[in-house]
């Protein structure tokens, strides 16, 4: 870092912050994209606040703040004569970087969906009888049903007075004791 020797102390400080933070940010970003960052992220916390799915004081937020702060200071060092104003603007841009990160994470979390299977999600869906279902709840058969894009084979009963044969199309009307109750369509 010999090139920094002839700079003024404030500009030197901005560079001393910007270079290692930029390298760390680059490594952190690469490791995130190739999956080396582990299973937990700054967005996964056990905080009780439902509106904020992430913490304010994290290493990632510190890096984002320092990136905005240092590179703004370097970029506007020659343009802004008053160094107090320069530091103030740099702090504001650093805070803006953290705010943009919050917004990005919030939008990314909106994209996630829960694809776990819940038998209650079968109600009012159509299915196909796989194994014949005896009439009037006298026994159980099986249906094949698609929920959230995946097929499931479930035990089923019917209230109908006629048995439902394999290949029949049925509609799930209720769930009772982990069994689906179906009617012929």
């Amino acid at each position: 870092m010999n090139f920094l020797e002839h700079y003024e102390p404030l500009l030197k400080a901005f560079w001393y912050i910007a270079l290692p933070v930029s390298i760390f940010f680059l490594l952190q970003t690469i490791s995130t994209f190739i999956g080396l960052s582990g299973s937990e992220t700054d967005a996964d916390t056990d905080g009780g606040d439902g509106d904020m799915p992430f913490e304010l004081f994290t290493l990632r937020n510190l890096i984002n703040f320092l990136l905005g702060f240092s590179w703004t200071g370097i970029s506007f060092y020659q343009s802004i004569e008053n160094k107090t104003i320069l530091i103030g603007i740099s702090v504001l841009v650093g805070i803006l970087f953290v705010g943009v990160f919050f917004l990005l994470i919030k939008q990314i979390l909106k994209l996630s969906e829960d694809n776990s299977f819940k038998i209650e999600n079968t109600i009012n869906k159509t299915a196909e009888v796989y194994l014949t279902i005896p009439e009037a709840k006298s026994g159980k058969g099986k249906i094949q049903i698609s929920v959230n894009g995946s097929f499931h084979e479930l035990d089923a009963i019917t209230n109908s007075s006629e048995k439902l044969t394999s290949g029949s199309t049925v509609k799930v009307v209720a769930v009772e004791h982990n069994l689906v109750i179906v009617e012929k369509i």
Side-chain angles (χ1 to χ4, degrees):
M1 293 195 180
N2 292 336
F3 73 96
L4 296 176
E5 288 180 19
H6 303 292
Y7 287 165
E8 295 176 23
L10 181 60
L11 183 57
K12 204 184 285 189
F14 282 134
W15 275 107
Y16 279 126
I17 294 170
L19 293 176
V21 166
S22 297
I23 292 169
F24 187 82
F25 177 78
L26 184 64
L27 293 174
Q28 185 181 43
T29 302
I30 290 169
S31 69
T32 298
F33 282 118
I34 63 173
L36 296 177
S37 64
S39 61
E40 293 194 23
T41 64
D42 289 337
D44 299 332
T45 64
D46 295 327
D49 189 358
D51 289 341
M52 286 209 17
F54 35 79
E55 294 176 8
L56 182 59
F57 300 105
T58 63
L59 178 62
R60 189 176 301 258
N61 287 342
L62 176 65
I63 296 300
N64 290 334
F65 172 79
L66 291 175
L67 272 175
F69 173 78
S70 60
W71 284 110
T72 301
I74 292 168
S75 300
F76 293 110
Y77 191 81
Q78 300 299 328
S79 304
I80 300 174
E81 295 290 326
N82 188 333
K83 301 311 175 199
T84 306
I85 293 174
L86 175 65
I87 292 172
I89 290 172
S90 297
V91 167
L92 289 176
V93 171
I95 292 169
L96 181 69
F97 269 50
V98 173
V100 167
F101 174 74
F102 277 177
L103 292 176
L104 285 173
I105 291 298
K106 195 170 188 177
Q107 294 304 315
I108 289 170
L109 290 177
K110 284 182 182 178
L111 294 175
S112 68
E113 60 182 277
D114 181 12
N115 281 331
S116 59
F117 177 72
K118 296 179 183 100
I119 199 163
E120 295 80 24
N121 293 343
T122 62
I123 297 175
N124 293 324
K125 297 214 184 274
T126 58
E128 184 178 327
V129 176
Y130 178 63
L131 293 176
T132 301
I133 304 170
E135 65 278 349
K137 292 186 177 181
S138 60
K140 60 183 175 180
K142 290 197 178 278
I143 62 166
Q144 286 185 328
I145 189 166
S146 175
V147 179
N148 293 333
S150 63
F151 278 96
H152 299 274
E153 189 176 287
L154 302 173
D155 291 330
I157 57 176
T158 185
N159 291 325
S160 174
S161 58
E162 64 179 278
K163 69 179 177 179
L164 304 174
T165 58
S166 293
S168 302
T169 302
V170 294
K171 178 180 179 181
V172 177
V173 293
V175 174
E176 185 178 288
H177 305 296
N178 228 19
L179 293 171
V180 290
I181 301 173
V182 297
E183 291 179 349
K184 189 172 184 173
I185 297 181

